[in-house]
Amino acid sequence: MARVPAAVVAASGLIGGYGVARWTKKRQLGGIVLAAAGATAAQQWRQQAGGRAAGALTVAYVAAFAGSHPLSKKVGAWPAVFGAAGAVALASWAVADRRAA
């Protein structure tokens, strides 16, 4: 079975977490999606690029989540989430996913 790249997992966690929180009106459910995808991506990052890279990408994932909040006041919620997800996906690909391919 083909493995889903960590970049896709991480981006999906940010987008899916926000979507679930918005549509269910339950932020906790969105947080569960965000955390589950982040943990899955972190495990893949560790396997593909090592612990130090996994730690840095996990920090980037959390920073993208946190940074999308103030950015949403300037550009809107969905553009901020898509921008954050894109940035994390690009970082994931550059640091871990392209090595695994």
Side-chain angles (χ1 to χ4, degrees), residues 14-28:
L14 290 163
I15 295 166
Y18 175 69
V20 167
R22 180 176 177 144
W23 289 313
T24 64
K25 309 260 191 271
K26 297 192 185 304
R27 295 177 72 179
Q28 299 87 347

Side-chain angles (χ1 to χ4, degrees), residues 17-74:
Y18 175 69
V20 167
R22 180 176 177 144
W23 289 313
T24 64
K25 309 260 191 271
K26 297 192 185 304
R27 295 177 72 179
Q28 299 87 347
L29 290 178
I32 290 169
V33 172
L34 180 79
T40 301
Q43 182 179 17
Q44 286 183 256
W45 292 327
R46 189 172 22 265
Q47 291 170 350
Q48 294 169 353
R52 185 171 282 183
L57 288 168
T58 300
V59 168
Y61 183 78
V62 173
F65 165 70
S68 68
H69 289 79
L71 182 61
S72 71
K73 292 178 178 25
K74 296 181 188 275

